[in-house]
């Protein structure tokens, strides 16, 4: 009986030590992965990295991690321009969950079989893609988008300021717009046309109301999937396969 008690105590102690060693190892790996991703992606701040599953050491021995979660604050995504036309758009929160992460022996590269995640872009950032400067849409008529906000029911409220024959309309006009994703581009399309006080061809008005924003070079090659208007900006779903975390 005493021998059994000793064996149980030893087993508990060894199990506790294994758990401690496992958690220390996963913490060290998370820190190293975060530093490597920061360097690879050229990030201004260190991302949050969480390696899921237990035990971690068993996953390492097999050369594959079940799930890795990554969170990046204020990610500057490319809008596709080059040279003088190069610009970025700030993604406030980019979170991704990587599944089936395979890494090589020296941990210099890691690739996820698949990835899903979310991102958010504020209306202030998305406004940069709209016609912020007055644009002539017809003789004596100019207009510009001065604001984007939540229109409710998944719509974006686009507020437009117009000037007709040198006189600014007394009140800005607004229109509810739908937002969608096409490839690597977020598109905003007016559901109906605003009344600017004069008859204008639809194409001329849509040159102001409708706009799009390309979002390129997301971490690891993940892609835009879906987009939805929210209270303070647009919420985007992202996905990818064979996503490179590092290397």
């Amino acid at each position: 009986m005493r021998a059994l008690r000793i064996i149980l105590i030893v087993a508990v102690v060894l199990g506790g030590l294994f758990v401690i060693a496992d958690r220390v190892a996963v913490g060290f790996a998370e820190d190293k992965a975060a530093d490597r991703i920061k360097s690879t992606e050229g990030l201004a701040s260190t991302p949050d990295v969480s390696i899921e599953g237990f035990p971690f050491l068993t996953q390492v021995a097999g050369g594959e991690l079940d799930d890795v979660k990554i969170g990046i604050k204020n990610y500057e995504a490319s809008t596709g321009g080059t040279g003088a036309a190069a610009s970025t758009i700030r993604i406030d929160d980019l979170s991704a969950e990587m599944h089936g992460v395979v890494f090589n022996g020296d941990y210099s590269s890691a690739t996820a079989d698949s990835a899903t995640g979310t991102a958010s872009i504020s209306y202030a950032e998305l406004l940069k893609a709209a016609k912020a400067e007055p644009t002539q849409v017809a003789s004596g008529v100019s207009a510009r988008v001065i604001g984007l906000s939540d229109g409710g029911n998944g719509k974006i409220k686009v507020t437009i300021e117009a000037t007709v024959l040198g006189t600014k309309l007394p009140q800005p006009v607004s229109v509810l717009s739908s937002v969608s994703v096409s490839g690597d581009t977020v598109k905003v399309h007016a559901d109906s046309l605003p009344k600017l006080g004069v008859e204008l061809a639809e194409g001329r008005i849509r040159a102001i109301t409708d706009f799009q924003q390309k979002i390129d070079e997301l971490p690891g090659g993940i892609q835009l999937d879906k987009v939805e208007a929210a209270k303070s900006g647009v919420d985007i779903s992202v996905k990818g396969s064979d996503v490179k975390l590092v290397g």
Side-chain angles (χ1 to χ4, degrees):
M1 192 70 174
R2 182 180 179 185
L4 179 59
R5 187 181 300 115
I6 292 173
I7 291 173
L8 290 174
I9 292 172
V10 170
V12 170
V13 171
L14 290 178
L17 291 175
F18 175 79
V19 170
I20 293 172
D22 191 82
R23 294 302 87 191
V24 170
V26 76
F28 178 80
E30 288 170 345
D31 291 343
K32 285 296 183 182
D35 289 339
R36 185 67 65 86
I37 293 171
K38 178 183 178 181
S39 175
T40 301
E41 298 294 338
L43 304 178
S45 59
T46 304
D48 294 325
V49 175
S50 176
I51 299 174
E52 305 295 301
F54 178 84
F56 167 69
L57 294 175
T58 301
Q59 296 181 67
V60 170
E64 181 175 337
L65 304 177
D66 296 334
D67 296 292
V68 178
K69 294 181 179 180
I70 300 173
I72 302 174
K73 299 287 187 182
N74 300 324
Y75 180 78
E76 297 290 337
S78 169
T79 57
T82 58
S87 61
T88 61
I89 184 168
R90 189 181 71 251
I91 297 177
D92 293 329
D93 293 288
L94 176 60
S95 299
E97 184 169 343
M98 312 292 180
H99 311 284
V101 179
V102 178
F103 52 90
N104 64 3
D106 62 358
Y107 309 106
S108 61
S109 69
T111 303
D113 178 63
S114 63
T116 56
T118 59
S120 60
I121 300 175
S122 70
Y123 287 124
E125 281 293 301
L126 191 59
L127 182 61
K128 296 177 182 179
K131 298 289 185 181
E133 296 297 326
T135 299
Q136 186 169 325
V137 294
S139 178
V141 181
S142 64
R144 68 184 182 119
V145 176
I146 60 173
L148 302 176
S149 58
D150 180 22
N153 297 318
K155 302 293 183 179
I156 295 178
K157 181 181 178 182
V158 180
T159 303
I160 301 163
E161 181 182 79
T163 299
V164 179
L165 299 176
T167 301
K168 186 181 295 184
L169 295 186
Q171 296 292 335
V173 295
S174 62
V175 62
L176 293 179
S177 299
S178 298
V179 58
S180 62
V181 164
S182 177
D184 60 1
T185 303
V186 174
K187 295 185 175 182
V188 177
H189 180 83
D191 294 350
S192 60
L193 300 180
K195 304 296 184 181
L196 299 182
V198 293
E199 291 295 326
L200 295 172
E202 179 176 345
R204 290 184 177 273
I205 299 178
R206 287 198 178 279
I208 301 298
T209 61
D210 297 3
F211 58 92
Q212 59 187 37
Q213 177 63 69
K214 185 175 182 179
I215 301 175
D216 201 10
E217 299 179 7
L218 292 175
I222 56 177
Q223 304 291 325
L224 304 182
D225 184 26
K226 299 176 182 178
V227 64
E228 182 178 27
K231 185 175 181 179
S232 56
V234 293
D235 291 338
I236 300 173
S237 297
V238 297
K239 66 178 182 179
S241 57
D242 294 326
V243 176
K244 279 192 170 294
L245 276 73
V246 293

